[in-house]
């Protein structure tokens, strides 16, 4: 019987294995979180659906929750939460592969395809070395940032709780999960604390850039140290165009988003209007960073202006870099659409970046990802409107975008959703985490059909 089950699993497609791996971790995690051993003695009354919701949010590194971690789960439950977040951020597939390589076993070709897809790699070259580098980068950055956070948390919470809370926050921030074990209002109590703000922002950006960018950066630094070229331009030769596009687009989004958020909220006394200029810029910068699918908040979005929340939803939809812990359509997808628009306006028939042509296949994939996200978002939002008619339409839209982009910020709405609403949000979180990978895989595995037809004319606009 067991052999037959393994045979069935081996015959599944790569996309089916990816979906099942996430679903398996979610089910196991929800069961563990629902056990009495995971709860405080005086924790609020919860149902299995509440724990399932939290498990989906943790594995899909979103951050939405119907029961705050600090209120529901004790030390054991919070350790389970950390493991679910880390597993969701790095991916179950990469964890299994890491264990296999560590035990000096070999991966089959189908497993290598699965790992390559989970890491958003376009080839299997040096896959083992790449995977080990991913884990080195992850644990090094999390440990370094946790040490910095400890300088604030240990005096505040004591040695034991200070260390544990620092590790929890560091793992959650790097994985862009948005969970914390500090209270019920995220990081609003630390809105003007530079140590916490900058450390968490650094972790969010590190996880959201994508591991390929980090590996390129490390190689560039090594090249510069080893060869001592006359300038950085020579040292950056091995830097890929994808990494360049991610860094350029991320920098533009962070700078533009910070300035826009500051301009829109600077006179709002309910958010940042009572702070000095430097504190306003710090809070505005943090909101821009966290909207890259992290889910932490240092202001209440119910008090933010409508225009600001619209800006935040756009930032959530874009997300972070490919091959990392962030969600959204990815900055590369948004950048390709911008480059396409630029090419059309300039009369160029091809999409170009740094004097290199981006293939039509890549452009079509970008279109498909955007259409997929918009379709799923619209379907989920309409169902939420129908099943939760008493709740704010704007707050429901904000919640829907946050869920499918795996961000995790909320206009204090999640706990007010009815059972159907929570099921819809869980579905959006799962689709937002697994959906784009499966869509791209289905596109990449299908053979191109070269069929010629007679042209026709259709007016546009």
């Amino acid at each position: 019987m067991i052999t037959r089950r393994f045979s069935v699993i081996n015959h599944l497609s790569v996309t089916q294995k990816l979906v099942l791996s996430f679903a398996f971790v979610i089910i196991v995690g929800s069961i563990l979180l629902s056990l009495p051993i995971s709860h405080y003695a005086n924790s609020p009354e919860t149902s299995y659906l509440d724990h399932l919701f939290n498990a989906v949010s943790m594995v899909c590194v979103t951050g939405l929750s119907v029961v705050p971690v600090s209120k529901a789960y004790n030390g054991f439950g919070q350790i389970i939460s950390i493991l679910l977040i880390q597993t969701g951020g790095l991916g179950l597939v990469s964890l299994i592969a890491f264990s296999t390589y560590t035990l000096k076993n070999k991966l089959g070709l189908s497993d290598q395809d699965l790992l390559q897809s989970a890491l958003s790699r376009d080839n299997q070259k040096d896959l083992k070395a790449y995977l080990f580098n991913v884990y080195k980068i992850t644990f090094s950055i999390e440990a370094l940032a946790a040490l910095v956070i400890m300088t604030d948390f240990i005096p505040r919470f004591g040695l034991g709780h200070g260390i544990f809370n620092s590790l929890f926050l560091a793992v959650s921030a790097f994985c862009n999960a948005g969970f914390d074990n500090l209270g019920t209002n995220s990081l609003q109590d630390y809105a003007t604390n530079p140590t916490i703000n900058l450390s968490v922002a650094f972790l969010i950006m590190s996880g959201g850039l994508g591991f390929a960018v980090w590996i390129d950066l490390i190689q560039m630094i090594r090249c510069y140290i080893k060869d001592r070229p006359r300038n950085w331009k020579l040292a950056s030769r091995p830097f890929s165009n994808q990494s360049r596009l991610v860094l350029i687009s991320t920098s533009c989004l962070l700078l533009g988003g910070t300035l826009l958020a500051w301009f829109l909220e600077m006179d709002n006394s309910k958010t940042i209007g009572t702070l000095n200029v430097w504190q306003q810029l710090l809070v505005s910068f943090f909101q821009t960073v966290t909207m890259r699918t992290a889910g932490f908040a240092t202001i209440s979005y119910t008090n933010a202006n409508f225009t600001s929340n619209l800006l935040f939803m756009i930032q959530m939809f874009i997300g972070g870099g490919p091959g990392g812990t962030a969600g959204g359509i990815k900055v590369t997808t948004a950048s390709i659409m911008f480059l396409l628009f630029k090419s059309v306006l300039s009369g160029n028939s091809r999409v170009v970046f740094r004097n290199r042509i981006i293939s039509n296949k890549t452009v079509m994939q970008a279109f498909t990802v955007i259409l997929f996200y918009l379709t799923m978002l619209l379907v989920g939002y309409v169902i939420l409107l129908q099943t939760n008619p008493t709740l704010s339409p704007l707050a429901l839209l904000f919640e829907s975008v946050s869920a499918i982009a795996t961000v995790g910020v909320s206009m204090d709405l999640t706990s007010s959703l009815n059972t159907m609403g929570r099921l819809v949000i869980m579905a959006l979180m799962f689709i937002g985490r697994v959906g784009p990978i499966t869509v791209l895989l289905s596109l990449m595995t299908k053979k191109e059909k070269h069929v010629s037809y007679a042209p026709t004319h259709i007016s546009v606009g």
Side-chain angles (χ1 to χ4, degrees), residues 323-335:
T325 60
I329 64 171
K330 303 296 187 293
V331 290
T332 46
T333 303
S335 297

Side-chain angles (χ1 to χ4, degrees), residues 378-454:
L378 180 62
V379 171
Y381 180 54
V382 169
I383 296 174
L384 284 176
L385 287 174
Q386 287 296 110
T387 56
N388 292 264
T390 60
L391 299 179
S392 164
L394 174 62
L396 286 173
L397 179 60
F398 195 91
E399 193 90 0
S400 301
V401 177
S402 179
I404 199 166
T406 67
V407 180
V409 291
S410 175
M411 295 178 70
D412 303 327
L413 182 79
T414 313
S415 59
S416 302
L417 293 169
N418 59 23
T419 300
M420 188 61 190
R422 295 182 184 188
L423 291 173
V424 170
I425 292 298
M426 281 193 283
L428 288 175
M429 290 189 290
F430 190 81
I431 290 169
R433 181 62 176 159
V434 182
I437 301 175
T438 59
V439 169
L440 286 176
L441 277 176
S442 65
L443 290 174
M444 290 187 289
T445 53
K446 290 180 180 177
K447 294 182 180 180
E448 291 187 39
K449 297 179 181 179
H450 298 281
V451 181
S452 297
Y453 296 102

